[in-house]
Amino acid sequence: MRALKSLFAAALVLAAATASAQPVKIRFAYVVPVANWPSILFEKQGLARHLGKSYTYEAVRFQGTPPMITGLANNEIEIADLAFASFAIAVENAGMKDLRVIADEFQDGTPGYYTDEYFVLKDSPIKTVKDLKGKILATNAAGSAVDIVMRAMLRKNGIDDRKDVNVVEAAFPNMKAMLTSKKADVIPAVIPFSFDPDLRAASRVLFTQKDVVGGRTQMIIWAARESFLKKNRAAMVDFMEDSIRAVHWWLDPKNHKEAVEIAARVSKRPAAAFDKWLFVKAGQEGDYYRDPNLLPDLKALQANIDLQQKLGLLKGKVDVSKLNDLSIVKEAAKRVK
Amino acid sequence: MARLIWRVAPWAVVLALAAAWEIFAASGAVTPFMLPRLSVVLERIRADGASGELWQNLAYTLYRSFAGFFIAGALGIPLGILIGRNRAVRWLFDPLISVGFPMPKIAFLPIVTLWLGFHDVSKITMVVLDASFPVVTAAIAGTMSVERELLWSARNCGARGAALLREVVLPAALPQIFTGLQVALPIALIVAIVAEMKMGGVGLGGAMITATRFADSPGVFAGIVEIAVAGYVLVKLMAVLRRRLLLWHPEALAPATV
Amino acid sequence: MRLGLVSADVLPSLSAVASAWWNLAIDPDLWRNAAASLYRGGAGLALAIVVGGALGIAMAWWRPVNALASPLVEMLYPMPKSALIPVTVLWLGFGDGSKILLIFLGCMLPVTLGAFNGARSCEQALVWSARSMGASRLNVLWDVVVPSALPELLNGIRTALALSFILLVSSELIVARAGLGYLIGFLGEGGVYDAMFAVVLMVAFLGFFADRVYMLAASRVLRWRD
C-alpha cells in the first residue's frame, strides 16, 4: 500500500514536472550596476535554489526607465526596477492598469540610513533654498524621482521651478564636475557619487531629500504585470524565495568582505569604491535602506506619487492600494524562515 | 500620362503605409501606448503646430543641424582635397580619419558640455564632429579618382596649381563630394536630435525625450513623423540641388536605362 | 587634460585609460562582449551592403523601383535610430534582431546613395555602344553599369563601415545584455570613465583596423576593374 502511495506521489510529481517542464523565463530590467539588486542578486553562487528549475533568470541593462515601460508593455521583460515616478507614469500615461508593485528595491530617508543630498560649493553665496532664485540647477532627468524632490523643495520656498530657475540635465557621474566647474550652482547626488571625497571637500549640503519629503521615499520598486504574475505564480514565489535568501546573504555584515569583492568584480571598479558603504547601515555615510524581506513601504509610495501629481508631473490620481501584489513576497518570506 | 504615374507612385506607397498604420493600430492587436493611431498622432502634430511649439522646436533643431553641416562642409571639403592631393598630408591625416570616423563620438558629449556649456555651441560642435567625416572621405575619394589622363592633358595645356585645382580636379571630384554632403546632412540632423535628447531642452529631440519620459506615446510618434518629414524634405532638397549644380555631368541626364 | 582643462573624472588621462583597458582585456568578459557586437555589426553591415547596393543600382536602372523605394529610404534615413526603438521593438523585441535592423537601416543609405549616384553617372554613350554590340540588358548592367558605379559604391561602403561601429554602440546603449555598447553604458552609468573610454577607444581602433583592411581590398578591386 505504502509503495503504491509513493508511486502515486511520484507520478503526481512527474506530472507536475512535465506540466511545468519549461522553466519560466524571468527577464529583469535595471539601470545602475551594483546599486540595483538585479545586477548582483545571484552573482553569489549557490543562493538561488530554484534557478534553472522552475525559472530562468536574466538581468538586462536599460538606459533609463522609459524603455523599460516599453519593454513591459511588449512582454520583452517580466520585472522592471522602477522609480516611484516611472511607476506612476507607466500606470497613468501608458495605461498599464495591470502593473503591480511586487517588492522593494530601496528606500530613501529611513532613520539610520542614507538620504539623497543636494550640494552647493563650499564658498557659494547660496545659504538657503530661497537664494536659488535665478540660479542654475542640475538634474538627472526632468520628471525623475530626484528631480521631483528638487522641484518640490523650490515650490515650498515660493520659487517657480519653471520660471525662476534654470534647470540643466547631466548624468550623475558628471555632477561633481558640473558643480566644480561652475556649470551648475546646485547638484543632486546619489550613492555612490555623493561619497566622492573630492566632492565632499569642495561642497556642502544645502538640503536632503528627507527634508523635502518629511520621511521615507519609496525610491525604487520591483514591478510586474498581473497577467504574468497570475500565470506563473508558483515560479514567482520560487524566484522571490531565492531573492530574499540572496538579500539576506548580501545584507549580512558577516559577508561584507565577499559582497564587496563580488560588487567590484561585477562593476569592474576597485573594492575600495564599495567597502565603506555597500550594505552598511551608517546614516549619511552608509547605504540606503533595503528591506531584508523585500517589503516595500506602500504608504510612503502613495505619498511620493501624490507629491508628483501635486507638482503637475502626473495627470490623474494613482491609487497604490489597488496596484500592488505583495502576497508573493510575503509567502516567499515565510518559506525562507 | 506615364510621367504622372511616376510622380504619384511614391505618394501611393506612403499613403498605403499610413493606412496600414491606422488600421493596425485601430485593430486592437497593440495597445495605444505601443502604437497610437496615426490620426491621433496627426492631431497631436496639428495641435503642436497651432500652439507654435512645433515651429520653435523645428527651428532650433534645423539651425543646429545646418550650422554644424556648413561648418563640416567648409572644413571637410578643403581638407579632403588636400589629403587627396598631397602625400604628406595624407600620411598625417589618413590614420586620424580611420580612427575618428568609427569612434562613437556621443561618448564625448559630457566633456564637450563641460567645455562649451549647455547651449547651441556644444550641440553644433557634436554635429561638426560627426558630419565632417563623410565629407572628408568623399572629397578624398573624389580627388583621388580624377583620371590621370585628364590631369596629364590639363598639365600639357599649361594648367598649374590653383587653376588645375579649380578647372580640373574640383569639377571632376564634385559629384563624389556632393554624395558625401548628401550623406552628411542626414547625419547632421541625427546628431543634432540625439544631442538634444541627451541634454534636454528645446528642439525636436528635446520634445521627444520629454514625451518618452512621460510615456506620452502620441508625443513620441509625433516626433518620429516630424523628423521623418523634415529629413525627407532635406534629403529631397539635396537631390534637387545636386541635379542643378551638376547639370554638366552625365549623371544629370536621364538615368542610363535602356 | 593634463593641464586641468577638464576635471580628470570626466576625461581621464590616456595612461589611466590604457591601464583600464589592460584590466578589461585580461577578463574574457571583454572579448565575449566584443564578439557579440561584431556579430551584430557584421550582420547589419552585410545586409546593408547587399540590399543597399542592389537597391541603389536598381533605383538608377528601373524607374518603378526608384518610385517605390525612394520615399521609404529618404524618410527612414535621417531618423535617429534610437528614436525608432519604440517601433522596432514592436516587430522584433529587444534582442539581436532589432539591433541588426537599426544598424542595417543606418548603414544602408550611404551604400544605396553611392550605388545610385555611381550607376547614374555611367555614360549613356557606353550603354548605347554596348547595346549596339548586341549586349543584353542584364549584360549591360553587369559589365558596364556596375563597374562604372564601383568607385562611388566602394566609398559608400567605407562610410557604412565606419557608421556600423557608431551604430552598434548606440543601439546597444539603450537595452542590452552584452556588447561593447552595453559595456560603455554599464561603465558610464557606474562612473568608471577610464574603463568606459578604454572601450570607446577600442571601438575606434577596431573601426580603424576594419577600415585599413577594407581600403586594401577596395584598391585591389579597383585595380582589377582597370
Side-chain angles (χ1 to χ4, degrees):
Chain A
M1 189 61 204
R2 182 181 270 178
L4 202 69
K5 231 179 186 172
S6 54
L7 200 70
F8 188 67
L12 256 184
V13 169
L14 200 69
T18 39
S20 61
Q22 206 63 20
V24 176
K25 192 148 94 178
I26 297 178
R27 288 163 298 184
F28 198 160
Y30 72 99
V31 178
V32 190
V34 179
N36 290 155
W37 277 129
S39 64
I40 51 166
L41 204 52
F42 296 149
E43 286 293 322
K44 162 73 187 166
Q45 299 304 310
L47 295 174
R49 289 181 195 163
H50 305 283
L51 179 62
K53 292 180 192 118
S54 58
Y55 68 91
T56 62
Y57 178 78
E58 270 180 273
V60 188
R61 204 193 91 83
F62 276 62
Q63 183 89 332
T65 40
M68 283 188 202
I69 300 177
T70 311
L72 280 170
N74 217 20
N75 296 319
E76 284 290 324
I77 49 172
E78 280 70 40
I79 312 178
D81 233 351
L82 293 179
F84 71 83
S86 314
F87 175 78
I89 282 168
V91 172
E92 176 68 18
N93 298 6
M96 298 183 66
K97 306 288 178 205
D98 66 339
L99 204 58
R100 297 289 175 265
V101 177
I102 57 169
D104 166 71
E105 168 88 27
F106 71 77
Q107 299 165 24
D108 176 288
T110 303
Y113 292 88
Y114 186 77
T115 178
D116 290 335
E117 294 158 298
Y118 294 77
F119 290 97
V120 293
L121 281 177
K122 215 162 217 161
D123 51 3
S124 160
I126 301 166
K127 301 287 180 219
T128 66
V129 178
K130 289 200 166 53
D131 300 333
L132 287 176
K133 212 163 188 168
K135 298 289 190 232
I136 303 170
L137 280 62
T139 179
N140 64 327
S144 73
V146 167
D147 183 70
I148 287 170
V149 169
M150 192 175 77
R151 286 174 203 272
M153 193 59 166
L154 293 174
R155 300 256 182 114
K156 257 189 185 174
N157 287 274
I159 298 174
D160 188 330
D161 55 302
R162 272 161 239 193
K163 289 181 196 132
D164 298 341
V165 290
N166 202 344
V167 179
V168 295
E169 290 186 14
F172 281 121
N174 301 331
M175 288 293 183
K176 182 181 85 179
M178 294 279 300
L179 186 68
T180 52
S181 66
K182 303 200 168 138
K183 298 281 182 221
D185 298 304
V186 188
I187 58 155
V190 297
I191 290 176
F193 307 108
S194 49
F195 296 145
D196 187 318
D198 299 340
L199 173 67
R200 296 257 158 204
S203 65
R204 62 188 153 82
V205 176
L206 186 66
F207 60 93
T208 65
Q209 182 158 335
K210 203 173 167 179
D211 297 340
V212 184
V213 180
R216 292 187 196 210
T217 308
Q218 178 59 54
M219 276 304 259
I220 299 184
I221 47 102
W222 297 6
R225 297 179 72 174
E226 196 188 15
S227 49
F228 172 78
L229 297 174
K230 272 209 172 120
K231 208 172 123 207
N232 303 297
R233 198 183 151 84
M236 276 304 288
V237 176
D238 284 351
F239 167 71
M240 280 296 187
E241 179 197 329
D242 286 352
S243 300
I244 291 173
R245 192 176 301 111
V247 166
H248 284 180
W249 185 87
W250 286 99
L251 294 180
D252 189 340
K254 277 204 312 279
N255 301 325
H256 180 69
K257 195 163 168 281
E258 195 183 347
V260 165
E261 275 162 15
I262 298 174
R265 172 172 59 76
V266 169
S267 66
K268 304 184 198 309
R269 306 192 66 198
F274 300 103
D275 191 42
K276 278 206 177 125
W277 60 269
L278 187 69
F279 307 131
V280 171
K281 178 183 178 181
Q284 288 306 89
E285 308 280 304
D287 209 344
Y288 296 108
Y289 176 74
R290 299 163 188 270
D291 192 85
N293 288 322
L294 291 173
L295 213 58
D297 183 339
L298 295 183
K299 233 173 77 194
L301 182 63
Q302 185 66 58
N304 303 144
I305 292 175
D306 289 347
L307 178 65
Q308 179 182 8
Q309 193 201 353
K310 213 177 81 193
L311 290 171
L313 294 165
L314 190 68
K315 276 180 283 172
K317 193 162 169 55
V318 170
D319 185 357
V320 176
S321 67
K322 296 195 184 92
L323 294 165
N324 72 82
D325 184 351
L326 301 185
S327 64
I328 296 171
V329 75
K330 282 176 181 160
E331 191 181 329
K334 274 184 216 142
R335 279 208 218 159
V336 177
K337 274 166 200 165
Chain B
M1 188 60 205
R3 276 185 70 93
L4 191 71
I5 291 176
W6 295 132
R7 285 201 167 262
V8 174
W11 297 106
V13 177
V14 175
L15 277 179
L17 267 180
W21 175 354
E22 179 74 20
I23 293 166
F24 181 59
S27 72
V30 287
T31 64
F33 168 67
M34 284 153 74
L35 187 70
R37 281 162 47 204
L38 179 62
S39 47
V40 174
V41 173
L42 292 179
E43 168 54 31
R44 172 62 169 271
I45 296 174
R46 197 201 56 75
D48 284 351
S51 71
E53 200 179 318
L54 170 60
W55 312 116
Q56 192 198 9
N57 286 334
L58 189 66
Y60 269 97
T61 302
L62 287 182
Y63 160 65
R64 288 161 189 154
S65 317
F66 275 120
F69 173 71
F70 284 120
I71 296 172
L75 292 176
I77 297 172
L79 184 64
I81 292 175
L82 205 63
I83 294 173
R85 300 273 300 152
N86 188 315
R87 201 171 266 276
V89 180
R90 180 153 66 236
W91 180 82
L92 186 69
F93 275 94
D94 215 31
L96 281 182
I97 287 163
S98 304
V99 175
F101 201 165
M103 173 120 49
K105 285 165 281 290
I106 199 74
F108 293 91
L109 182 68
I111 301 163
V112 173
T113 355
L114 278 177
W115 264 335
L116 303 172
F118 278 85
H119 303 289
D120 290 338
V121 185
S122 46
K123 287 173 188 138
I124 293 170
T125 307
M126 290 306 293
V127 173
V128 174
L129 277 180
D130 265 305
S132 37
F133 285 99
V135 182
V136 176
T137 56
I140 299 173
T143 315
M144 291 184 60
S145 68
V146 177
E147 281 162 50
R148 230 167 264 154
E149 291 84 351
L150 202 62
L151 285 176
W152 286 334
S153 58
R155 283 219 183 87
N156 277 340
C157 298
R160 287 284 177 280
L164 186 74
L165 199 66
R166 197 175 58 238
E167 303 291 333
V168 183
V169 177
L170 202 56
L174 206 54
Q176 287 230 32
I177 293 178
F178 216 94
T179 305
L181 291 174
Q182 278 178 295
V183 172
L185 183 61
I187 291 183
L189 184 66
I190 290 176
V191 176
I193 291 169
V194 170
E196 286 169 0
M197 288 172 103
K198 287 257 169 192
M199 292 161 68
V202 205
L204 290 179
M208 245 183 108
I209 201 67
T210 308
T212 310
R213 280 181 192 151
F214 287 93
D216 167 18
S217 261
V220 174
F221 281 86
I224 292 179
V225 172
E226 286 157 15
I227 295 167
V229 172
Y232 176 79
V233 171
L234 288 186
V235 168
K236 265 286 180 247
L237 280 178
M238 284 296 277
V240 170
L241 204 63
R242 182 187 184 102
R243 235 170 286 147
R244 283 281 155 81
L245 282 179
L246 301 179
L247 258 183
W248 45 272
H249 196 270
E251 64 154 59
L253 301 173
T257 45
V258 183
Chain C
M1 63 203 86
R2 292 280 87 191
L3 301 172
L5 280 174
V6 155
S7 112
D9 306 293
V10 182
L11 187 63
S13 71
L14 201 57
S15 55
V17 171
S19 81
W21 185 82
W22 178 249
N23 286 333
L24 285 175
I26 51 178
D27 185 348
D29 205 34
L30 176 71
W31 306 105
R32 197 174 50 78
N33 284 311
S37 283
L38 290 181
Y39 159 67
R40 290 169 192 148
L45 181 65
L47 270 176
I49 292 172
V50 173
V51 177
L55 189 66
I57 290 173
M59 278 165 70
W61 193 245
W62 285 293
R63 193 120 195 224
V65 180
N66 190 357
L68 296 181
S70 64
L72 297 183
V73 173
E74 284 154 358
M75 280 188 176
L76 272 180
Y77 183 64
M79 183 76 72
K81 302 306 168 268
S82 47
L84 283 175
I85 294 241
V87 190
T88 58
V89 109
L90 261 185
W91 304 330
L92 298 170
F94 277 128
D96 278 351
S98 61
K99 293 181 185 87
I100 292 173
L101 177 70
L102 293 178
I103 295 168
F104 162 67
L105 288 176
C107 292
M108 196 176 78
L109 189 101
V111 180
T112 309
L113 207 59
F116 178 73
N117 288 334
R120 274 173 61 105
S121 66
C122 167
E123 282 172 49
Q124 194 77 48
L126 268 179
V127 175
W128 284 330
S129 65
R131 283 293 277 169
S132 68
M133 290 191 309
S136 74
R137 258 182 77 101
L138 271 178
N139 273 339
V140 174
L141 185 66
W142 187 246
D143 293 333
V144 181
V145 177
V146 172
S148 79
L150 217 48
E152 282 224 45
L153 175 62
L154 289 176
N155 188 50
I157 295 175
R158 188 185 182 191
T159 306
L161 182 67
L163 283 179
S164 71
F165 284 89
I166 298 175
L167 285 163
L168 76 86
V169 169
S170 52
S171 70
E172 287 171 352
L173 261 177
I174 296 161
V175 187
R177 285 183 296 269
L180 293 172
Y182 156 81
L183 215 50
I184 290 173
F186 182 93
L187 295 166
E189 191 68 53
V192 198
Y193 278 173
D194 46 1
M196 184 191 86
F197 279 109
V199 182
V200 170
L201 281 182
M202 181 179 166
V203 173
F205 277 103
L206 282 174
F208 169 77
F209 185 67
D211 187 61
R212 283 291 115 133
V213 171
Y214 174 75
M215 289 301 269
L216 261 178
S219 67
R220 284 273 162 81
V221 171
L222 282 179
R223 212 175 302 148
W224 158 83
R225 181 189 70 132
D226 292 340

